[in-house]
């Protein structure tokens, strides 16, 4: 009987912890790297996505099917740059093939119609996604590890886009490091 009571208490505690960790935060703000495993999701139409908030970048979780892209654009991520193979592409389903050649996990967040100098930033220099104009957040390729490639297909209409890595991490020194603040931002034009 004593063992059964212990097991019931153990299961109840585990359920309470699980419920507490599943709050209503969709994690669409800033991704922080740390320990554990991350998950995320995406949409082939470029809608908002899930998050790896508070977790290390796990494996790549592609957004959509690259085979459906009308155009492919290669992107290279390093510390602290987003380098595009081309700065423009025709409207339609654009497949971004992103190679992380850096030493840290990175991601790509796609924002429509907001120039880099007009992005809403927090005190650490990270993008505050919730403060973007409605419809400006197109979607993102969630954080993925260095030395790997990930892709995302987004239905983009003509206009100006800003691409950022919006990861924020705490260094061993206790200082906060925003990848956007460090320079991981670029522009892209859809014609």
């Amino acid at each position: 009987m004593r063992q059964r009571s212990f097991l019931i208490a153990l299961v109840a505690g585990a359920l309470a912890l699980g419920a507490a960790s599943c709050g209503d935060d969709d994690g669409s703000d800033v991704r922080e790297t740390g320990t554990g495993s991350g998950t995320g999701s995406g949409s082939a139409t470029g809608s908002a996505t899930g998050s790896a908030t508070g977790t290390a970048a796990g494996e790549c979780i592609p957004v959509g099917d690259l085979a459906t892209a009308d155009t492919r654009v290669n992107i290279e991520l390093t510390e602290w740059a987003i380098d595009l193979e081309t700065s423009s592409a025709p409207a339609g389903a654009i497949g971004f093939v992103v190679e992380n050649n850096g030493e840290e996990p990175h991601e790509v967040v796609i924002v429509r119609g907001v120039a880099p100098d007009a992005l809403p930033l927090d005190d650490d220099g990270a993008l505050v996604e919730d403060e973007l104009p409605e419809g400006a957040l197109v979607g993102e390729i969630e954080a993925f590890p260095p030395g790997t490639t990930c892709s995302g297909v987004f239905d983009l209409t003509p206009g100006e886009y800003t691409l950022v890595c919006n990861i924020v991490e705490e260094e061993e020194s206790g200082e906060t490091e925003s990848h956007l603040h460090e320079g991981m931002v670029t522009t892209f034009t859809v014609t």
Side-chain angles (χ1 to χ4, degrees):
M1 183 70 168
R2 181 180 232 184
Q3 190 174 26
R4 183 175 176 188
S5 296
F6 174 75
L7 287 174
I8 291 171
L10 184 64
V11 169
L15 290 174
L17 282 174
S21 66
C22 294
D24 62 359
D25 180 10
D26 71 356
S28 63
D29 308 46
V30 175
R31 258 73 40 222
E32 294 184 18
T33 58
T35 60
S37 63
T39 61
S41 62
S43 166
T45 60
S47 63
T49 61
S51 166
T53 301
T55 62
E59 62 186 61
C60 161
I61 300 173
V63 179
D65 181 358
L66 195 54
T68 65
D70 299 322
T71 305
R72 290 187 186 190
V73 175
N74 293 323
I75 300 175
E76 178 185 24
L77 304 178
T78 58
E79 283 78 36
W80 303 108
I82 300 175
D83 293 315
L84 299 168
E85 168 188 51
T86 181
S87 62
S88 66
I94 299 176
F96 292 105
V97 180
V98 187
E99 188 173 358
N100 183 351
N101 288 327
E103 296 178 7
E104 301 183 16
H106 292 299
E107 70 176 2
V108 177
V109 177
I110 303 167
V111 177
R112 184 180 197 286
V114 182
D117 61 355
L119 293 170
L121 305 177
D122 67 14
D123 292 339
D124 296 318
L127 174 64
V128 181
E129 295 175 13
D130 291 342
E131 292 182 14
L132 287 168
E134 187 170 330
L137 180 62
V138 173
E140 63 193 273
I141 299 170
E142 292 288 347
F144 61 100
T148 62
T149 300
C150 200
S151 63
V153 179
F154 302 92
D155 188 21
L156 302 183
T157 58
E160 298 298 320
Y161 292 80
T162 298
L163 282 62
V164 306
C165 178
N166 201 31
I167 291 177
V168 173
E169 57 192 333
E170 188 172 313
E171 297 295 308
E172 288 181 20
S173 65
E175 291 186 33
T176 302
E177 180 177 72
S178 162
H179 291 203
L180 170 57
H181 180 73
E182 295 294 329
M184 294 192 75
V185 59
T186 192
T187 57
F188 185 73
T189 303
V190 177
T191 57

